[in-house]
Amino acid sequence: MNIQTAEESDLREILELQYLAYQSEAALFGNKNIPPLKETPDELKEEFDKGVILKMTEGDKIIGSVRAFEKNGTAYIGKLMVHPDHRRKGYGSMLLTEIEKCFPGKRYELFTSTRSKDNIRLYESLGYRIFDRKEIDDELVFVYLEK
């Protein structure tokens, strides 16, 4: 596995991976109307311009990605994704560890849905702790984790 900083030319492939990888998250709610499945190429380009996007490749194919930006001493991490065929191999942990290295000495923050038990377990295993919860509606509650 190779992890490196994504280039602008990688964004289309990363967005395609995102649409695939977040199907499992949408299934937790029985609803495909979630932000990662609606992100546009222009919105992804804004994130690219604002922070760091890493890609994990196997050969010439992107099989994982994560992104982050820093504001006021906190690195906000998001869109950690691994291709469904490559899950449960430790790649998510590798990506999260690498994105943290892009922001040494910072506080790290990320969030996920309370229904995403595997995500919460992964983040906690890497030293993240829940510090806040936000109820979006009857179906959706986010937990915010920090390290």
Side-chain angles (χ1 to χ4, degrees), residues 28-75:
L28 292 174
F29 295 94
N31 183 350
K32 292 186 185 249
N33 192 27
I34 62 172
L37 295 181
K38 299 188 311 182
E39 187 169 26
T40 67
D42 288 342
E43 290 168 333
L44 178 55
K45 174 68 167 72
E46 285 177 29
E47 290 186 54
F48 176 83
D49 291 341
K50 179 168 87 170
V52 175
I53 299 179
L54 297 181
K55 64 179 179 179
M56 174 181 275
T57 56
E58 182 178 71
D60 63 351
K61 183 127 179 80
I62 297 174
I63 62 163
S65 183
V66 65
R67 59 193 83 154
F69 69 94
E70 192 250 329
K71 183 177 178 183
N72 299 326
T74 294

Side-chain angles (χ1 to χ4, degrees), residues 52-140:
V52 175
I53 299 179
L54 297 181
K55 64 179 179 179
M56 174 181 275
T57 56
E58 182 178 71
D60 63 351
K61 183 127 179 80
I62 297 174
I63 62 163
S65 183
V66 65
R67 59 193 83 154
F69 69 94
E70 192 250 329
K71 183 177 178 183
N72 299 326
T74 294
Y76 294 91
I77 301 169
K79 306 285 190 331
L80 174 61
M81 65 189 93
V82 175
H83 189 287
D85 293 344
H86 296 277
R87 290 185 180 156
R88 304 223 180 266
K89 297 178 182 177
Y91 297 162
S93 297
M94 292 167 62
L95 283 161
L96 194 52
T97 299
E98 285 303 309
I99 199 76
E100 289 174 358
K101 290 178 185 175
C102 295
F103 301 91
K106 303 296 182 192
R107 174 184 172 269
Y108 306 108
E109 182 177 320
L110 47 76
F111 70 92
T112 191
S113 148
T114 54
R115 293 189 185 189
S116 302
K117 304 290 187 203
D118 289 342
N119 293 353
I120 294 168
R121 198 170 14 261
L122 167 68
Y123 302 147
E124 288 181 334
S125 76
L126 293 172
Y128 286 80
R129 295 291 166 248
I130 294 171
F131 74 93
D132 198 10
R133 297 170 58 93
K134 289 193 177 140
E135 189 172 317
I136 306 304
D137 59 34
D138 291 343
E139 293 284 314
L140 182 59

